[in-house]
Amino acid sequence: MFERNLFQEDHEMFRDSVRKFIDKEIAPYHAQWEEDGIVPRELWLKAGAAGLLCCTIPEEYGGLGLDYLFDVVVFEEMARSGFTGPGFLIHCDLVSTYVKSFGTEEQKKHWLPKMVDGTAIGSLGMTEPHAGSDLRNIRTRAVRDGDDYVISGQKVFISNGQLCDVLVLATKTDSVTGGKGITLFLVDTSTPGFKRGKNLAKLGLKAQDTSELFFDNMRVPANCMLGKEGEGFQLMMTKLAQERLAQAIRSATVSEHLVDLTVEYTGNRKAFGRTIGEFQNTQFKLAELATEAVIGRVFTDHCIKKFMEGKLDEVDAAMAKMWLSNLHCKVTDECLQLFGGWGYMWEYPIARAFADARIVKIAGGSIEIMKHIIGRSLFRDVNSRNKTESLVVAKLPEGKLQVNS
């Protein structure tokens, strides 16, 4: 129904290789990984050898130097497969880009080749028990001590937490200046004082390891800092649009796939002497969902183009994340209903998709935060104009206030 024009022939050839990799290296084992609560490190090495990791990293740092669409292909095919265990998106779209964008030459040469080949797995350490979306109020402290910083605190809900070798860690180096007191460090998780907590039991994403992390007087050299002291919040803000776009890409792809899956199921499943797909209710419901999936895809592709041009702002990214997250959850719920009782069985992909979907309204900034960003932007001009008018009135001599009709 909708022909995409983002991708060239080389992207589609790469897509075919990604699908083959998923069929061979992930599909036969993912059910066991859900039982284990984690994927094996060997998968990362295989993904690295197949060129699936950090596609945009320049050749000088061990990468292929490809455009962002190659990463998009990996994100889409992983989402389409329904195999949510491998945390490739966090590793590629966030951690490696933090290192590439803000790292020193020494940091890039040390970590990026390892992230490309899968020998070093990346994770993002920001969320805390008392600071989810409110990153300004993190409590993990980093105190300068000579040429080192001593870090103490904890993180929670950290994807790839059990496996990670390198962590982009958000800390407070100044507890009284809010966001201006946040500093990022690139932490080697073999550093003494770093400790992994338990692998958290979740509603969905059961094969993806998600952890608590603890830092007990962990001493890191000052040259492990990303950017400068106090720049952390500013650096994080520059990557939020990219993170939210990646989540929109995932949700757009899952929504499309589940509609297709449900059409296939209802077109073959019979009730009352005919297929479920022949009932008007089924056709009307899927017609609505298919149309919304196309709308979501068009907007997501528009945002991908804007991102590649360096023009994706926080408002468009928030709109994409909010709308596609809501659609993702709506599609999984209404498609599961059309599967009837079988939709509630874990062996059916729709059941796993339903459990996996709920996090998208929370992760990467909650729906409420997205609404706040969008709503604030709507009134920015009005508030600015009102502020200007108030200043003008305040400067008028007493008794000289005039109202022009």
Side-chain angles (χ1 to χ4, degrees):
M1 287 185 285
F2 168 64
E3 183 176 351
R4 304 175 72 188
N5 57 12
L6 274 178
F7 302 99
Q8 304 299 319
E9 183 178 358
D10 53 348
H11 297 117
E12 297 304 339
M13 291 175 62
F14 180 63
R15 188 185 300 277
D16 184 60
S17 70
V18 174
R19 288 177 174 174
K20 289 178 180 177
F21 179 88
I22 293 171
D23 289 343
K24 179 182 178 182
E25 303 293 350
I26 298 178
Y29 315 109
H30 199 265
Q32 182 59 52
W33 298 343
E34 288 180 334
E35 294 290 330
D36 299 338
I38 196 169
V39 305
R41 294 188 68 93
E42 289 75 17
L43 175 69
W44 290 82
L45 298 175
K46 292 177 179 178
L52 271 63
L53 301 179
C54 309
C55 298
T56 64
I57 297 301
E59 293 182 27
E60 61 188 296
Y61 303 118
L64 297 174
L66 302 172
D67 65 51
Y68 179 65
L69 291 177
F70 285 87
D71 274 343
V72 171
V73 167
V74 176
F75 303 157
E76 288 184 349
E77 292 311 312
M78 287 300 302
R80 185 172 287 109
S81 74
F83 300 131
T84 55
F88 295 160
L89 191 152
I90 294 290
H91 174 91
C92 300
D93 197 54
L94 291 175
V95 182
S96 72
T97 60
Y98 269 94
V99 180
K100 182 177 70 171
S101 299
F102 311 126
T104 64
E105 193 65 18
E106 181 182 2
Q107 290 169 338
K108 293 176 186 178
K109 288 181 177 178
H110 179 75
W111 286 114
L112 289 178
K114 296 178 181 179
M115 296 187 72
V116 170
D117 67 19
T119 55
I121 298 171
S123 188
L124 205 61
M126 295 184 180
T127 303
E128 297 186 0
H130 302 284
S133 297
D134 186 9
L135 292 173
R136 289 183 177 87
N137 286 322
I138 61 173
R139 299 180 182 178
T140 297
R141 293 292 310 279
V143 179
R144 185 79 186 234
D145 183 21
D147 293 332
D148 299 333
Y149 282 81
V150 179
I151 300 175
S152 297
Q154 70 180 104
K155 302 291 177 178
V156 72
F157 310 142
I158 306 304
S159 300
N160 296 342
Q162 292 293 310
L163 291 172
C164 65
D165 304 285
V166 58
L167 180 71
V168 175
L169 179 65
T171 71
K172 270 289 184 71
T173 47
D174 185 339
S175 60
V176 298
T177 56
K180 293 181 180 179
I182 294 177
T183 302
L184 299 182
F185 290 89
L186 199 58
V187 174
D188 184 330
T189 59
S190 66
T191 304
F194 173 83
K195 181 181 178 182
R196 305 176 202 271
K198 63 183 178 180
N199 193 4
L200 300 172
K202 307 183 297 295
L203 170 66
L205 307 178
K206 292 184 176 295
Q208 185 181 119
D209 60 302
T210 306
S211 307
E212 298 173 297
L213 302 179
F214 300 93
F215 314 93
D216 183 11
N217 292 314
M218 181 180 70
R219 184 175 290 270
V220 299
N223 62 12
C224 289
M225 189 182 297
L226 273 178
K228 298 178 181 179
E229 184 171 316
E231 283 187 343
F233 189 77
Q234 178 184 348
L235 299 184
M236 288 189 289
M237 292 304 101
T238 67
K239 294 301 179 186
L240 285 179
Q242 182 173 350
E243 179 182 3
R244 288 160 184 168
L245 173 60
Q247 297 203 32
I249 291 168
R250 176 179 61 184
S251 290
T253 306
V254 171
S255 297
E256 289 177 330
H257 174 65
L258 293 182
V259 170
D260 291 342
L261 195 69
T262 308
V263 168
E264 177 69 20
Y265 178 81
T266 56
N268 289 284
R269 176 75 173 176
K270 290 188 176 181
F272 305 103
R274 52 179 172 164
T275 66
I276 298 173
E278 292 179 82
F279 288 96
Q280 187 183 69
N281 176 70
T282 303
Q283 294 182 6
F284 280 15
K285 182 55 63 180
L286 288 173
E288 293 173 358
L289 297 178
T291 302
E292 291 182 75
V294 169
I295 294 169
R297 170 57 69 196
V298 172
F299 184 47
T300 302
D301 282 1
H302 167 74
C303 288
I304 292 172
K305 289 179 182 178
K306 292 190 70 174
F307 174 75
M308 295 182 70
E309 295 168 355
K311 298 178 181 177
L312 181 66
D313 62 27
E314 65 166 354
V315 178
D316 282 348
M319 287 180 173
K321 203 275 181 182
M322 180 187 72
W323 201 85
L324 270 301
S325 295
N326 282 328
L327 179 64
H328 185 158
C329 291
K330 176 182 178 180
V331 169
T332 54
D333 181 45
E334 298 195 4
C335 284
L336 188 151
Q337 185 70 22
L338 293 174
F339 275 75
W342 292 111
Y344 202 66
M345 299 297 105
W346 192 253
E347 65 190 272
Y348 276 71
I350 190 68
R352 297 195 297 276
F354 182 84
D356 292 340
R358 190 57 184 83
I359 190 59
V360 303
K361 290 187 177 184
I362 302 170
S366 68
I367 291 295
E368 291 73 23
I369 294 295
M370 299 304 100
K371 290 179 179 179
H372 174 68
I373 292 169
I374 298 163
R376 182 180 59 192
S377 74
L378 296 176
F379 289 93
R380 187 172 293 144
D381 290 343
V382 174
N383 293 336
S384 178
R385 186 167 62 250
N386 289 342
K387 183 177 180 181
T388 300
E389 291 173 353
S390 297
L391 288 172
V392 170
V393 170
K395 291 179 180 179
L396 287 173
E398 187 175 355
K400 299 294 185 180
L401 179 61
Q402 296 179 354
V403 180
N404 295 324
S405 60

